[in-house]
């Protein structure tokens, strides 16, 4: 019954090839932590309800591991039915090579341009006026997460921002608590980026990452950032770094660490642990210093297939991902904001409410790094920050000079 209903909705909204029968669609993504797995299961459930079958192609180990695997499979002629990527430049080469399905007709018929917000997300899916992906959420990277009990047990007040955390850090350390947990790889880059946005401000961050303003990158606002990172190094030492971002959040959940800096997807882990935002833990956008959101997030692309049944199932999936029901169920578990403004968010937790408030205040919303710079340059920055955090002999001035070189050489 449900399948007929879905077919009728689609037939009314977009011309689909008329191929009958259920289709298995392999969907790749890197959602393997507790919160992420719970969230993506909602998409799988919604797609299965159309009569098709979501064949889960989860790739463990975060986007850095998954992205090259996804891209090389498509390039190499072994495409999946659909895949997660981030909004931005990651699929540019695949689109140029004609390997991705154009879903403009569906996007137009369903009026995604008005249905989905903010505009930046659909813009990121659009190349030369054609839509190639469907944005499923708005995920922002600039959050600090703290375990309240860690502080109150020590007779301390939970910090309201990163500066207060740094002031508390010596006392926490003395009590055997790691002030700041950290995971290896991209989370180090994210930590530094979040400190940059908080201390140098959104405008300067965008001027450097988007406009490649070397004067600002080498100037005092950024010197302040590198100095703050150097001061934070002792509280998140290299020998205490854990392999994965969710393990670092796990240390905060278990009360072994006081805080972590991570995107709002961390909220899913606290939910799985049955902790309540604003009671058991705090989520502080912009590290509590500059409340901001960026327009990061996740999108799904649909590699071209010679099989018309796959093509049809891809359109059914694209449609399903933006339905009210799927948007709500997925985003509540994921810790991200839904793409549609017309979903009932009465069940939103404190963190999501804070995010929605910022989203309505559009000046505090700025582009994700992947929307401004190519992945190779971003990886170079991440590697540099990893070296800077781990090597206490590297001075802030040396790190800043290397950073400026990467910005200078990043392709526009
Ligand atoms: C991001 C993605 C998020 C989250 C995070 C950690 O790239 O946008 O949805 O999953 O990685 O896995």
């Amino acid at each position: 019954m449900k399948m007929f209903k879905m077919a009728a909705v689609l037939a009314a909204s977009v011309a689909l090839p008329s191929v009958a029968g259920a289709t298995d669609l392999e969907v790749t993504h890197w959602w393997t932590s507790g919160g992420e797995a719970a969230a993506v299961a909602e998409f799988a459930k919604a797609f299965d309800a159309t009569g098709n079958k979501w064949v889960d192609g989860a790739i463990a180990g975060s986007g850095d591991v998954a992205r090259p695997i996804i891209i090389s499979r498509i390039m190499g002629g072994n495409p999946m039915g659909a895949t997660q990527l981030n909004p931005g430049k990651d699929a540019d080469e695949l689109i140029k090579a004609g390997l991705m399905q154009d879903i403009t007709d569906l996007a137009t018929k369903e009026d995604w341009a008005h249905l989905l917000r903010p505009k930046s997300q659909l813009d990121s899916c659009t190349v030369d006026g054609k839509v190639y992906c469907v944005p499923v959420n708005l995920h922002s990277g600039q959050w600090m997460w703290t375990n309240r009990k860690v502080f109150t047990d020590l007779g301390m007040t939970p910090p309201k921002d990163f500066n207060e955390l740094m002031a508390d850090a010596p006392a926490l350390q003395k009590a055997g608590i790691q002030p700041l947990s950290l995971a290896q790889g991209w989370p180090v880059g994210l930590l530094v980026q979040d400190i940059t946005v908080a201390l140098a401000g959104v405008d300067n961050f965008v001027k450097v990452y988007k406009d490649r303003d070397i004067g600002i990158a080498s100037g005092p606002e950024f010197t302040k950032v590198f100095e703050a990172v150097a001061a934070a190094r002792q509280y998140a030492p290299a020998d205490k770094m854990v392999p994965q971002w969710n393990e670092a959040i796990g240390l905060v959940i278990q009360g072994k660490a006081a805080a972590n800096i991570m995107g709002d997807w961390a909220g899913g882990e606290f939910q799985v642990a049955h902790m309540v935002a604003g009671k058991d833990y705090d989520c502080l956008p912009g590290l509590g210093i500059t409340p901001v959101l960026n327009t990061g997030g996740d999108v799904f692309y649909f590699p071209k297939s010679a099989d018309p049944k796959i093509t049809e199932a891809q359109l059914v999936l694209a449609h399903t991902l933006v339905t009210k029901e799927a948007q709500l169920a997925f985003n509540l578990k994921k810790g991200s904001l839904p793409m549609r403004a017309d979903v009932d968010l009465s069940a939103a937790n404190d963190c999501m409410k804070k995010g929605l408030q910022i989203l309505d205040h559009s000046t505090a919303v700025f582009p994700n790094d992947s929307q401004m710079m190519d992945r190779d340059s971003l990886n170079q920055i991440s590697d540099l920050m990893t070296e800077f955090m781990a090597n206490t002999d590297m001075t802030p001035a040396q790190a800043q000079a290397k950073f400026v070189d990467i910005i200078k050489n990043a392709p526009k």
Side-chain angles (χ1 to χ4, degrees), residues 11 53 60 98 125 131 152 167 176 231 286 319 325 334 350 357 396:
K53 179 141 184 46
C125 286
V131 177
T152 52
H319 162 84
E325 299 72 21
K334 191 69 168 64
D350 254 35
Q357 230 163 27

Side-chain angles (χ1 to χ4, degrees), residues 172 176-182 235-237 240-241 251 256-259:
L172 290 164
I177 306 277
Q178 191 179 335
L180 197 57
S181 66
L182 189 57
Y235 303 124
K240 293 250 171 65
M241 283 190 202
L251 291 174
K256 292 181 180 156

Side-chain angles (χ1 to χ4, degrees), residues 246-323:
N246 52 315
E247 295 172 70
I249 286 291
L251 291 174
V252 177
I253 289 175
Q254 294 153 30
K256 292 181 180 156
N260 182 258
I261 289 175
M262 185 45 59
D264 51 11
W265 48 89
E269 303 307 297
F270 287 95
Q271 290 194 65
V272 168
H274 304 293
M275 288 172 79
V276 178
K279 179 172 163 269
D280 303 319
Y281 69 98
D282 281 313
C283 48
L284 303 161
L287 313 190
I289 298 173
T290 318
V292 287
L293 281 189
N294 73 2
T295 54
D298 299 290
V299 298
F300 277 84
Y301 283 91
F302 307 90
K304 269 188 190 160
S305 167
D307 180 349
K309 285 185 72 170
I310 298 280
T311 308
E312 179 185 16
Q314 288 174 326
L315 292 173
V316 173
L317 177 59
H319 162 84
T320 305
L321 295 174
V322 294
T323 57

Side-chain angles (χ1 to χ4, degrees), residues 2-3 6-7 10 16 19-25 43-55 309-310 312-317 320:
K2 265 191 180 147
M3 196 169 110
M6 182 63 67
L10 279 168
L16 294 175
V19 184
T23 303
D24 286 1
L25 201 68
F43 276 158
K45 199 163 81 185
F47 183 61
D48 288 353
T50 68
N52 294 290
K53 179 141 184 46
W54 173 291
V55 178
K309 285 185 72 170
I310 298 280
E312 179 185 16
Q314 288 174 326
L315 292 173
V316 173
L317 177 59
T320 305

Side-chain angles (χ1 to χ4, degrees), residues 59-204:
I59 303 169
S62 288
D64 280 0
V65 176
R67 263 182 232 105
I69 296 174
I70 290 166
I71 291 170
S72 69
R73 271 192 57 184
I74 302 171
M75 283 286 187
N78 177 27
M80 60 297 293
T83 191
Q84 174 206 2
L85 280 175
N86 295 120
K89 302 172 185 297
D90 292 340
D92 279 5
E93 296 299 317
L94 300 173
I95 293 169
K96 258 190 231 147
L99 294 170
M100 301 307 239
Q101 196 189 157
D102 170 357
I103 56 169
T104 312
D105 285 352
L106 179 68
T108 310
K109 296 275 168 46
E110 296 192 345
D111 199 14
W112 290 359
H114 291 103
L115 191 67
L116 310 181
R117 58 79 166 101
K119 188 177 172 300
S120 53
Q121 306 313 83
L122 191 58
D123 284 353
S124 280
C125 286
T126 310
V127 176
D128 296 333
K130 291 184 177 155
V131 177
Y132 290 93
C133 63
V134 50
V136 297
N137 61 359
L138 193 72
H139 248 327
S140 168
Q142 295 71 32
W143 296 71
M144 187 165 92
W145 306 84
T146 58
N147 182 331
R148 285 194 161 206
K149 192 168 179 296
V150 165
F151 294 90
T152 52
D153 278 357
L154 293 171
M156 297 162 85
T157 308
K160 284 190 295 304
D161 63 36
F162 178 69
N163 294 330
E164 287 189 10
L165 175 75
M166 288 295 101
D168 291 342
L172 290 164
Q173 233 174 11
K174 212 168 147 211
I177 306 277
Q178 191 179 335
L180 197 57
S181 66
L182 189 57
Q184 292 149 7
W186 63 268
V188 184
L190 183 63
L191 167 96
V192 178
Q193 197 182 98
D194 286 0
I195 295 177
T196 310
V197 172
L199 299 187
V202 166
D203 285 355
N204 286 328

